[in-house]
Amino acid sequence: MNNFEIKTVEFVRGIVGTNDILEDPTPQIAFVGRSNVGKSSLINSLVGRNDLARSSSKPGKTTEINFFLVNDAYYFVDLPGYGFAKISQKQREKLRKLIIWYLGYGEVKPKKVVLIIDANVGLKPFDLEMIDLLKKEGHDFLIVANKVDKIKSSKLEKQKREILSQVGQDFELVFYSSKTGKGKNDVLKGIFG
Ligand SMILES: Nc1nc2c(ncn2[C@@H]2O[C@H](COP(=O)(O)OP(=O)(O)OP(=O)(O)O)[C@@H](O)[C@H]2O)c(=O)[nH]1
Ligand SMILES: [Mg+2]
């Protein structure tokens, strides 16, 4: 969808397990990735609202699967982050189970999954595990390398090559900054085609 314009957006609910919202046929766009890569910030920047999905410099901010209704037509689904060492083992395991439940047990099938990584950091082992899961479950996904404002332009091409060498040259990869909004159209094109 070109010129995708967000007209309305509202928080609907956060879930931690089976919920009747999953039976709603409204297509879901899911945002997944390691903790602190900027999933919630990315949703906020796409919809032009700073405070919609709560973000924090402290990892582990999002602890539920949050559903936002966009233009009465799509759910943007903000997932908790995985793989951050500085939250407790128990909390980490709980979040991991929740993410795998959402993506892995076929109760829902998001129309598109947006896998977010930190542009500066690249793909970590947890991301590669996530990619395996997404492939195994047959999810349609793209990778958004966020925080591109923090990467030196001299490093950008190298990082792009490095990531593509790990996932395949034809893979859909978009560099983005939730902070500046640079790359927003590419992200929207990646999501809505
Ligand atoms: N410089 C820069 N900082 C960003 C960008 N996107 C997010 N951040 C910062 O990164 C931190 C984490 O952002 P969140 O949106 O809470 O990250 P998250 O992935 O939702 O984190 P969890 O909910 O803990 O999994 C915050 O301090 C944001 O301000 C970006 O594009 N550029
Ligand atoms: Mg979050």
Side-chain angles (χ1 to χ4, degrees):
M1 189 190 300
N2 277 326
N3 300 319
F4 184 83
E5 197 193 334
I6 310 276
K7 296 195 186 79
T8 59
V9 55
E10 63 178 299
F11 172 69
V12 180
R13 74 182 74 150
I15 69 170
V16 290
T18 300
N19 191 287
D20 53 13
I21 199 166
L22 299 172
E23 287 155 34
D24 183 336
T26 304
Q28 299 171 25
I29 314 288
F31 297 81
V32 303
R34 284 186 312 112
S35 193
N36 218 39
V37 293
K39 296 171 295 298
S40 302
S41 305
L42 190 141
I43 290 180
N44 286 338
S45 73
L46 290 183
V47 303
R49 289 262 304 267
N50 286 335
D51 54 348
L52 188 74
R54 267 171 267 157
S55 68
S56 163
S57 56
K58 238 177 101 205
K61 180 66 184 172
T62 308
T63 56
E64 299 188 340
I65 299 178
N66 290 318
F67 283 69
F68 301 93
L69 183 62
V70 174
N71 290 354
D72 285 323
Y74 295 96
Y75 284 125
F76 279 10
V77 182
D78 187 18
L79 282 122
Y82 50 82
F84 209 92
K86 283 185 191 152
I87 57 175
S88 76
Q89 171 74 27
K90 204 172 148 205
Q91 177 70 351
R92 219 163 45 204
E93 190 51 27
K94 205 169 118 195
L95 296 182
R96 195 180 77 87
K97 280 196 179 134
L98 191 58
I99 297 161
I100 292 177
W101 164 75
Y102 176 82
L103 291 167
Y105 291 102
E107 199 170 342
V108 285
K109 176 128 178 104
K111 175 182 145 57
K112 195 95 183 184
V113 176
V114 184
L115 173 62
I116 299 152
I117 62 173
D118 183 320
N120 236 329
V121 175
L123 290 162
K124 302 292 276 184
F126 277 122
D127 299 314
L128 297 173
E129 272 177 35
M130 178 54 66
I131 288 172
D132 281 345
L133 173 72
L134 294 173
K135 284 184 175 161
K136 191 170 122 262
E137 297 297 326
H139 291 303
D140 183 4
F141 69 104
L142 76 150
I143 296 178
V144 173
N146 188 38
K147 307 196 188 185
V148 74
D149 57 282
K150 285 173 74 177
I151 201 172
K152 288 207 188 86
S153 53
S154 57
K155 199 187 160 190
L156 189 62
E157 275 308 309
K158 184 176 165 282
Q159 194 65 319
K160 193 183 272 182
R161 278 199 304 276
E162 174 92 30
I163 296 166
L164 288 177
S165 76
Q166 287 171 280
V167 291
Q169 294 305 320
D170 299 329
F171 201 84
E172 215 178 337
L173 169 67
V174 179
F175 281 83
Y176 183 60
S177 168
S178 304
K179 196 172 167 187
T180 68
K182 192 166 180 263
K184 187 166 172 175
N185 280 340
D186 295 331
V187 175
L188 291 172
K189 229 185 278 168
I191 293 174
F192 296 107

